[in-house]
């Protein structure tokens, strides 16, 4: 079941499922397939940590992508399929990211989120992020401000 979803590195086999998972979530960053492929390429800069949550049935339940240039990182994307939300998967994905980022010498992580994305804002606050500013008209379609949030990585 979902609580047993395994957190592991994302690989090329996850890319199609990640595109489909995000497409079903209007609030999720909508990356093209090529963007996931690039994020998985260890030669690309900035470097990235990419994690997947896989159910016991082998289904992709969620994923998270962070880029980093020590000592700072940016949470670029995190998404959990609707059927698996509110079961602690984002919390576990973030804990996995934080572990890997800390090992790489990262001490802080930033993110931007639409002001209207109440679920994501609540998640980030629950994960210990604090508001660090507002970026006016950061988003298009629809035009919207971004809340900038930051958290230390101990
Ligand atoms: C944001 C998102 C990744 C959270 O994933 P999740 O696996 O459901 O989150 P978790 O179960 O780990 O929740 C951790 C905590 O965050 C808070 N939280 C999560 N979703 C919430 C919601 N819809 N409303 C209020 N609080 C919420 C809770 O405090 C929760 O702990 P609790 O369930 O013990 O109360 C998920 O809602 C999602 O994929 N949304 C669409 C994509 C998106 O908006 N991504 C971020 C773009 S910037």
């Amino acid at each position: 079941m979902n609580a047993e979803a395994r957190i592991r590195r994302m690989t090329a086999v996850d890319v199609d499922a990640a595109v489909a998972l995000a497409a079903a979530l209007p609030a999720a960053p909508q990356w093209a397939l090529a963007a996931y492929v690039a994020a998985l390429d260890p030669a690309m800069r900035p470097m990235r940590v990419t994690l997947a949550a896989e159910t016991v049935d082998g289904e992709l339940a969620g994923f998270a992508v962070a880029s980093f240039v020590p000592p700072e990182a940016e949470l670029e994307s995190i998404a959990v399929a609707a059927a698996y939300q509110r079961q602690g998967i984002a919390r576990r994905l973030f804990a996995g990211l934080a572990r890997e980022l800390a090992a790489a010498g990262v001490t802080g992580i930033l993110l931007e989120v639409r002001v209207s994305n109440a679920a994501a804002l609540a998640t980030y606050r629950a994960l210990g992020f604090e508001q660090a500013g507002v970026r006016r008209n950061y988003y298009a379609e629809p035009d919207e401000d971004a809340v900038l949030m930051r958290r230390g990585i101990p």
Side-chain angles (χ1 to χ4, degrees):
M1 258 291 290
N2 326 327
E4 294 166 23
R6 181 169 73 95
I7 308 297
R8 59 162 174 77
R9 293 274 175 87
M10 222 172 146
T11 74
V13 300
D14 299 312
V15 166
D16 287 334
V19 172
L21 192 159
L25 297 169
Q30 303 296 323
W31 288 14
L33 195 136
Y36 291 101
V37 172
L40 292 171
D41 182 349
M44 289 297 282
R45 294 294 179 269
M47 290 181 285
R48 289 189 169 79
V49 180
T50 57
L51 293 181
E54 181 184 344
T55 69
V56 288
D57 300 330
E59 189 185 343
L60 186 72
F63 63 88
V65 180
S67 63
F68 65 99
V69 180
E72 286 288 315
E74 182 176 346
L75 182 60
E76 295 187 313
S77 186
I78 185 163
V80 174
Y84 299 107
Q85 290 181 4
R86 296 307 291 265
Q87 296 169 42
I89 289 180
R91 200 184 281 281
R92 291 173 57 211
L93 283 167
F94 183 75
L97 286 182
R99 225 176 357 255
E100 292 210 23
L101 292 169
V106 170
T107 56
I109 181 163
L110 287 163
L111 62 81
E112 287 107 11
V113 54
R114 282 184 182 269
V115 292
S116 64
N117 192 345
L121 280 163
T123 301
Y124 298 142
R125 288 196 192 102
L127 294 178
F129 282 84
E130 290 177 351
Q131 184 166 333
V134 173
R135 293 186 161 160
R136 298 278 168 219
N137 288 314
Y138 183 80
Y139 294 105
E141 298 178 23
D143 288 1
E144 196 174 342
D145 295 347
V147 178
L148 179 66
M149 302 183 91
R150 188 179 186 284
R151 204 201 102 137
I153 303 276

